[in-house]
Amino acid sequence: MTSAAVGTDAPYELPWVEKYRPQVLDDVVGNEETIDRLKVIAKEGNCPHIIISGLPGIGKTTSIHCLAHQLLGPAYKEGVLELNASDERGIDVVRSKIKSFAQKKVTLPPGRHKIIILDEADSMTAGAQQALRRTMEIFSNTTRFALACNQSNKIIEPIQSRCAILRFTKLSDAQLMKRLLEILGLQVQYNEDGLKALIFTSEGDMRQAINNLQSTHSGFGFVNGDNVFKVCDQPHPLIVQDLIRYCVKGNIDRAMTQLNKLWDDGYAAVDIVVTVFRVVKSFDELPEYTKLEYIKEVGFVHMRVLEGVGTLVQLAGLVARLCKLNMKPAQFKI
């Protein structure tokens, strides 16, 4: 390696999910009612033990960090202990690391408490959760616990009863669009199709949407629909829309051509079925009754695919039944 090469450092760019991560509660997108409750806690300073549950990528951990920043200010580094699912969190850690942090004396603003953040708390072992319940009570005068999890029912009842439970819901398309437009406005070339594709592929997950945006921008330099679907490697909804249109007309040959196109591209049966469902759900060309019948058929096939029958024959059967729903008896007499 030449000395010139050593001397020139390539510019390092943060992942955009970190770069544009909210620092205060006002910047968190969606779940306004829950965020308002956290703002009241941040203002008054009396933070209870809390459990925040919800789907991945909708701002649970970010909200807890924003709350901790606003409660503790400059003392954030000393007053917060974060343990993630990637850390060892068995009984020994609860008894040693968490207990020693809870006992540690830290200078905090008046009326404030130390905060222990347990991310992915639903993956903690039952033994560790049992050890945690007593620790929460003993040190409640100085330390408060904030647990983030995907499913709150995996947290044992004694811990749930000691905490205020806040639920985060999936972000709406409008909320995703608002945040993406803020990032896209910073010298990112895009078109309307690209924005719609980002929202379609993310399914209400802000982290997924921003990662897909950065990947598309880095890979192609221009964010349009085709580029987003290449990066995300999901069946293109336009092909699925054509498939549904042929099914409505009862044209099995054309519909099978579209299905074979997706199958030959290597998409898994579950990806195809999920995309068919999402397209049917928002397909304005279908009357309400037909849409309900289609969703019922797609649901049955999705269940079979998840049980392990993810074959082309299974998908072809779905296409055949969707075609048959719109055909008059006279059209398929033998």
Side-chain angles (χ1 to χ4, degrees), residues 197-230:
L198 286 169
I199 290 167
F200 183 87
T201 51
S202 63
E203 298 185 57
D205 183 335
M206 182 66 80
R207 186 192 298 132
Q208 180 86 56
I210 294 173
N211 276 332
N212 290 347
L213 167 59
Q214 185 176 11
S215 302
T216 310
H217 175 64
S218 302
F220 298 96
F222 183 66
V223 180
N224 64 16
D226 288 339
N227 290 345
V228 170
F229 283 108
K230 279 178 192 169

Side-chain angles (χ1 to χ4, degrees), residues 85-253:
S86 55
D87 302 311
E88 179 61 45
R89 291 189 311 191
I91 296 177
D92 296 339
V93 171
V94 174
R95 287 179 179 157
S96 58
K97 201 169 185 180
I98 291 178
K99 215 167 185 179
S100 63
F101 178 79
Q103 289 170 334
K104 190 173 75 172
K105 282 190 166 48
V106 178
T107 308
L108 298 175
R112 300 292 194 258
H113 305 86
K114 286 176 289 185
I115 296 172
I116 296 177
I117 300 170
L118 297 173
D119 205 357
E120 310 296 340
D122 47 359
S123 65
M124 284 180 78
T125 61
Q129 291 189 42
Q130 294 288 357
L132 189 63
R133 59 196 275 193
R134 188 72 185 127
T135 310
M136 288 173 79
E137 280 188 352
I138 294 170
F139 299 105
S140 60
N141 286 339
T142 59
T143 309
R144 297 296 155 89
F145 285 78
L147 287 70
C149 60
N150 297 138
Q151 294 167 289
S152 61
N153 61 345
K154 288 190 178 177
I155 307 288
I156 59 172
E157 289 288 339
I159 290 181
Q160 287 191 47
S161 70
R162 288 170 170 83
C163 299
I165 300 178
L166 307 175
R167 304 199 190 279
F168 273 35
T169 55
K170 196 164 73 167
L171 300 178
S172 69
D173 289 356
Q175 289 164 341
L176 281 171
M177 186 177 286
K178 182 187 170 205
R179 188 72 178 135
L180 287 173
L181 282 170
E182 288 173 16
I183 299 170
L184 285 164
L186 308 168
Q187 280 87 44
V188 177
Q189 290 184 308
Y190 72 100
N191 64 14
E192 200 67 30
D193 278 349
L195 187 57
K196 285 179 182 172
L198 286 169
I199 290 167
F200 183 87
T201 51
S202 63
E203 298 185 57
D205 183 335
M206 182 66 80
R207 186 192 298 132
Q208 180 86 56
I210 294 173
N211 276 332
N212 290 347
L213 167 59
Q214 185 176 11
S215 302
T216 310
H217 175 64
S218 302
F220 298 96
F222 183 66
V223 180
N224 64 16
D226 288 339
N227 290 345
V228 170
F229 283 108
K230 279 178 192 169
V231 164
C232 301
D233 202 26
Q234 288 188 14
H236 203 298
L238 291 179
I239 297 175
V240 177
Q241 278 181 12
D242 288 341
L243 187 152
I244 301 299
R245 285 193 189 99
Y246 291 130
C247 288
V248 172
K249 293 172 186 170
N251 191 333
I252 183 72
D253 292 331

